[in-house]
Amino acid sequence: MEISLRARVRAGDPDAFRQLFDEHASVVHRHAVRMTGNWVMADDIVSLTFLEAWRLRERVLPGDDSLRPWLLGIATNVARNTARAARRHQAALSKVPPPDPVPDFADEVTQRMADTAELAAAQKALSRMRRGEREVFTLCVWEGLDAATAAEALGVAVGTVRARLSRARKRLRKLTELELGGGTEGGKGQSRVQRPAAVGQLPGSHQQAARSTQEKKRTQEKKR
């Protein structure tokens, strides 16, 4: 009889944890990036998540279900603690004179510029949401968990998840419109699109040409 991965993880089988890491590390990392908007911090969260999973292995319930929701719940808690520690660290650094800037020439920065810009825009909108709504949104929308599974991962009621998700969708839609310049907090706004000049023509050149033609005509009439 084959022993399930859950049972092996619960028993502290090292091979089971290697399998768990191989199957879910990329998922946890993606979730961490979306939660924090920081690639380096996401790497730390992955490491801390699996260390915490090892510590909490005996809490794994029997069954054959995927351990993905369990890991995402741990990653969410780790992200909370990591963000809290980062804020304390930043507050401490703000009291110290800043060092000279050091340019970063890593190839990875260039490769990820587009992804980082898109992620920053999403993070800017998400950061203005309540933490509970933000966590539910990332789990249900980005990670594709259903309400019941997300509730299990976060340790809250299913109704709480559904209510937070509904508020999060409405709030994020409004914030996204603001980020794109399509509205205001009151839902009102106008965007004006300026028609480009014809190819090869500078703005105002048509009016200038007309004035120039008129001046030539007046000059010719005076000569007559």
Side-chain angles (χ1 to χ4, degrees):
M1 179 178 178
E2 184 178 354
I3 303 176
S4 68
L5 180 61
R6 278 179 170 264
R8 291 166 58 203
V9 167
R10 182 183 176 87
D13 182 351
D15 290 335
F17 263 86
R18 276 192 287 272
Q19 179 181 343
L20 187 69
F21 183 87
D22 291 341
E23 292 179 357
H24 297 290
S26 60
V27 174
V28 172
H29 185 269
R30 181 182 63 198
H31 179 59
V33 169
R34 288 170 169 172
M35 287 287 292
T36 64
N38 187 307
W39 296 93
V40 176
M41 188 180 294
D43 292 337
D44 294 338
I45 289 174
V46 171
S47 300
L48 293 172
T49 294
F50 282 92
L51 285 174
E52 189 70 1
W54 173 263
R55 189 179 70 84
L56 300 174
R57 62 188 182 278
E58 294 182 357
R59 297 186 185 181
V60 173
L61 299 176
D64 297 323
D65 296 336
S66 171
L67 288 170
R68 177 169 167 256
W70 179 63
L71 287 172
L72 290 177
I74 294 175
T76 300
N77 289 329
V78 170
R80 291 177 190 167
N81 296 334
T82 302
R84 191 178 300 116
R87 286 194 296 270
R88 289 197 296 264
H89 180 66
Q90 189 62 39
L93 286 179
S94 64
K95 301 177 182 179
V96 179
D100 295 333
V102 178
D104 184 1
F105 298 105
D107 293 338
E108 187 174 300
V109 174
T110 303
Q111 295 171 359
R112 291 179 173 176
M113 280 182 67
D115 291 340
T116 301
E118 294 175 0
L119 179 62
Q123 278 298 124
K124 191 173 182 180
L126 284 171
S127 65
R128 298 171 65 180
M129 297 167 58
R130 294 185 178 89
R131 187 188 71 185
E133 296 172 359
R134 184 169 61 249
E135 292 172 353
V136 166
F137 183 88
T138 55
L139 288 175
C140 292
V141 178
W142 279 345
E143 299 302 333
L145 300 188
D146 57 40
T149 309
E152 178 186 349
L154 295 174
V156 298
V158 176
T160 301
V161 169
R162 289 172 177 159
R164 289 178 181 176
L165 182 58
S166 177
R167 291 195 300 267
R169 288 182 185 276
K170 294 177 182 178
R171 180 65 174 154
L172 188 62
R173 186 180 300 112
K174 180 182 294 185
L175 292 174
T176 301
E177 291 175 354
L178 289 174
E179 292 299 328
L180 296 176
T184 62
E185 281 289 353
K188 299 179 181 179
Q190 296 180 346
S191 59
R192 294 183 298 177
V193 178
Q194 184 175 1
R195 296 180 60 183
V199 176
Q201 185 181 49
L202 295 175
S205 60
H206 180 74
Q207 291 86 345
Q208 293 173 356
R211 286 196 297 268
S212 177
T213 301
Q214 293 175 354
E215 291 175 357
K216 288 181 179 179
K217 288 182 179 180
R218 286 196 294 268
T219 303
Q220 291 174 356
E221 290 175 356
K222 290 180 180 180
K223 290 181 178 181
R224 290 176 185 175

